[in-house]
């Protein structure tokens, strides 16, 4: 490591005008001559920061600094990212700060982890069990991420408590400081270590992260990321009448969406400065209310590097990670979702403004969180930014029977060691932070089966982290949803360890519904039902493509699922054939109606309300284009009829409690008129849901390619049947909220269509 070395005893110790170490005597002065006293908690070190930026003072400072070390030390210059000439670094140091007081440090304290404000300064604390050397790197306000920085070497005898390294820096600015760590330790790869002291690492407990300011800016694709903090802003004003929506699980209708893609397209009509931002979501809340949903599930909003694919030549180096399943830090909101390139502090404030506005509209906020892996990839092409360089052996699962290679149950090269006590506390702390600081209502855990594995990767019957989340005083009040599988084959749908709290993405529901239209305290709402999610075909593509078309991804069609249970309705892809288009429209309405009348929590995908297409790409994670961006102009085109049907169906569900049962259906709740479950050739389904007040609902689905005359059961006493839905009819007759009377004893149901009848006086 480059350093300016200086020692009063002839022993070389790290020191430079822009870097200093903890020593027993203040630098540039003897203990007797210094007017600054040391902190009572331990020895301190003083660093004169009162250098002004005028030309004369600059030259004077340069001469003074050179004379101070001349003849007494080896002179080397440290830079956080690259080596600069001696003269340049001294000049940058002289220009850096307007502070006219020395910088003073002391041992500090081990908790809390991260950067925390204390009286007269900032405390920094980081965990690393196996580190042998830790250095705090500071870049003061106004400096670039890649500019020279102050570096503080932590003394393991004075700055370490157990496995926590810590230091207190007095009179450090309360905001605008960028910080990271250089950490060294054992280099035994087979023992699971990946230390590399040349890399400046992000603090896992950093509450804010700074990097490039504009999403997808390829001119800045090699930008670095560092932690930062803000202890000067006033507490966010949630408002006197603010309250959480607190919607019961059984009443939820979830809308899965991507913050950026929702408004990034020019067709959003928004000012370019807020397209693709948290503030952009606020502008489109009226659309969400018109649709009728009451919860948004946001694709990952933790800080991630969308240009990670472009850092080296590879088949995906043309892509931009727009989904965000590649977490850099678990506490910081994605800074490039701030408006106008505002950065991390603006992102934090605007995220809260978004949550506040959604809550005011009665819409809950659920975050899609990725605690199964991070952005640091595998051992073949590692991208070290934090955990790998801090303590790889602790933070990741390592296969000690295979030369210490990383285990990969996530499909992304690494697997977070979720049930290690240290990692477990990191996850819990992160989740609590999003609830208490940002007021989110719940979480959907990506590849949650990883959280059910032990430190060696073996499945656990009672995973500590799963139980801890379910029992936590803060988190147990939230919506907690698992994606109950991982890429290592641990498929736990219907048997996820839940402590009667965890809900599950119901993959079996998805597959069964697609196939057809082609005991404990568990409740119906513990099933999150979906036909479509972000990964896979959109609803439009499900009825338009028989096979995936992922050529644009650059992986030769090897990525994405090959088993989509889709049907193109007679023609592959886009077509002008009116009959094919009409059939596809019916099928999309059939899927949506089936979803909305099912017991459990329905979830739909952003864009399905107008028939968004990705042109057959079922793995579109890397396209920051119209493939993923919501196309607002289509809401005003002929596809507006589909939006109307989707909206009316959601609102009909919300008005009828028979679809939102607290408990599973009993024999008194439902009558099956066609229940030939064992006959795989059967393509007709009909049943009546009974309402205690007589408002029964009859539904039938005909997946045959011919008309079917269904016998309609008698309505309850003093009631008659009204047709609300017939997906074979043109809009607005396909959905009539008040219902159409005159239903006879039979109903001729068209091919590939469904009906819904309501019993009314």
């Amino acid at each position: 490591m480059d350093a300016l070395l200086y020692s009063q005893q002839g022993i070389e110790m790290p020191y430079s005008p822009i870097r200093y170490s903890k020593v027993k005597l203040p630098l540039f002065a003897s203990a007797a001559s210094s007017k600054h006293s040391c902190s009572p908690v331990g020895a301190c070190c003083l660093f004169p920061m009162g250098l002004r930026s005028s030309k004369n003072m600059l030259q004077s400072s340069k001469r003074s600094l050179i004379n101070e070390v001349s003849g007494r030390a080896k002179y080397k210059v440290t830079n956080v990212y690259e080596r600069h000439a001696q003269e340049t670094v001294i000049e940058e140091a002289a220009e850096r700060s307007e502070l006219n007081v020395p910088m003073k440090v002391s041992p500090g304290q081990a908790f809390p982890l991260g950067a925390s404000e204390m009286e007269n300064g900032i405390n920094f604390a980081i965990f690393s069990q196996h580190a042998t050397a830790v250095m705090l790197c500071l870049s003061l306000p106004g400096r670039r991420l890649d500019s020279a920085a102050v570096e503080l070497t932590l003394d393991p005898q004075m700055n370490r408590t157990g496995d926590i390294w810590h230091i207190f820096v007095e009179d450090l600015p309360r905001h605008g400081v960028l910080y990271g760590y250089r950490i060294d330790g054992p280099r035994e790869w087979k023992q699971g270590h990946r230390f590399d002291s040349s890399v400046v690492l992000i603090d896992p407990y950093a509450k804010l992260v700074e990097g490039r300011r504009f999403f997808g800016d390829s001119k800045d694709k090699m930008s670095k990321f560092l932690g930062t903090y803000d202890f000067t802003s006033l507490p966010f004003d949630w408002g006197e009448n603010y309250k959480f929506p607190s919607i019961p699980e059984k009443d939820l209708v979830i809308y899965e969406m991507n913050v950026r893609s929702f408004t990034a397209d020019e067709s959003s009509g928004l000012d370019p400065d807020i397209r693709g931002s948290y503030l952009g979501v606020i502008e489109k809340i009226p659309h969400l209310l018109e649709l009728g949903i009451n919860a948004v599930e946001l694709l990952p909003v933790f800080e991630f590097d969308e240009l990670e694919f472009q850092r080296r030549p590879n088949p995906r180096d043309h892509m931009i990670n727009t989904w965000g399943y590649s977490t850099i830090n678990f506490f910081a909101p994605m800074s490039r979702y701030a408006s106008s390139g505002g950065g991390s502090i603006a992102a934090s404030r605007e995220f809260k403004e978004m949550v506040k506005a959604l809550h005011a509209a009665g819409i809950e906020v659920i975050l899609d969180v990725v605690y199964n892996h991070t952005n640091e990839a595998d051992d073949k092409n590692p991208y070290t930014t934090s955990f790998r360089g801090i303590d790889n052996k602790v933070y990741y699962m390592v296969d000690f029977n295979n030369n210490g290679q990383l285990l990969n149950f996530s499909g992304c090269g690494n697997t977070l060691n979720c049930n290690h006590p240290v990692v477990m506390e990191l996850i819990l702390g992160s989740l609590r932070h999003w609830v208490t600081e940002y007021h989110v209502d719940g979480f959907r855990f990506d590849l949650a089966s990883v959280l059910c594995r032990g430190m060696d990767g073996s499945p656990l019957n009672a995973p500590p982290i799963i139980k801890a989340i379910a029992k936590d005083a803060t988190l147990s009040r939230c919506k907690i949803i698992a994606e109950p599988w991982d890429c290592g084959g641990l498929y736990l749908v219907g048997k996820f360890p839940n402590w009667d709290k965890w809900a599950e993405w119901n993959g079996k529901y998805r597959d069964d519904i697609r196939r057809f239209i082609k005991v404990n305290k568990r409740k119906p709402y513990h099933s999150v039902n979906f036909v479509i999610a972000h990964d896979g075909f959109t609803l439009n593509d499900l009825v338009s493509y028989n096979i995936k078309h992922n050529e644009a991804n650059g992986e030769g069609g090897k990525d994405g699922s090959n088993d989509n249970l889709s049907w193109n309705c007679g023609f592959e892809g886009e077509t002008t054939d009116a009959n094919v288009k009409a059939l596809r429209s019916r099928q999309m309405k059939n899927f949506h109606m089936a979803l909305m009348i099912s017991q459990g929590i329905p979830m739909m995908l952003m864009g399905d309300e107008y028939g968004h297409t990705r042109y057959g790409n079922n793995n579109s994670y890397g396209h920051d284009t119209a493939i993923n961006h919501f196309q607002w102009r289509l809401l005003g085109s002929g596809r507006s009829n589909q939006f109307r049907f989707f909206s009316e169906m959601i609102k009909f569900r919300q008005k009828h409690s028979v679809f939102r049962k607290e408990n599973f259906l009993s024999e008194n709740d439902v009558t099956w008129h066609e229940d030939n479950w064992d006959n795989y050739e059967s393509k007709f389904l009909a049943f009546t849901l009974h309402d205690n007040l007589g408002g029964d609902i009859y539904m039938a689905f005909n997946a045959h390619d011919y008309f079917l005359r269904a016998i309609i059961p008698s309505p309850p006493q003093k009631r008659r049947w009204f047709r609300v839905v017939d997906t074979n009819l043109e809009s607005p007759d396909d959905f009539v909220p008040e219902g159409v009377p005159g239903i006879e004893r039979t109903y001729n149901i068209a091919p590939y269509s469904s009906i819904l009848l309501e019993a009314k006086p």
Side-chain angles (χ1 to χ4, degrees), residues 201-220:
L201 304 165
I202 303 168
D203 176 8
Y205 279 83
K207 303 305 185 295
L208 301 170
V209 171
E210 274 286 347
R212 75 181 69 86
R213 287 296 183 95
F214 295 95
F215 191 92
D217 183 3
S218 59
K219 299 187 298 296
D220 200 18

Side-chain angles (χ1 to χ4, degrees), residues 627-639:
I627 287 180
N628 281 314
H629 294 172
F630 195 101
Q631 300 299 298
W632 292 93
R633 67 182 182 278
L634 294 181
L635 285 173
S637 69
R639 302 194 190 192

Side-chain angles (χ1 to χ4, degrees), residues 140-159:
L140 301 184
R143 307 305 300 169
R144 303 187 314 273
L145 283 169
D146 59 349
S147 65
V150 177
E151 295 190 346
L152 304 172
T153 299
L154 277 63
D155 185 337
Q157 300 302 315
M158 302 180 66
N159 297 96

Side-chain angles (χ1 to χ4, degrees), residues 450-468:
V450 163
L451 281 70
C452 299
R453 293 182 180 273
M455 287 182 279
D456 62 354
S458 59
L460 302 174
N461 292 326
I465 184 62
I466 300 297
K467 180 179 180 180

Side-chain angles (χ1 to χ4, degrees), residues 482-498:
E483 183 183 38
W485 53 81
D486 64 19
C487 294
L490 190 56
Y491 189 77
L492 297 174
V493 176
K495 50 188 177 182
F496 192 85
N498 54 76

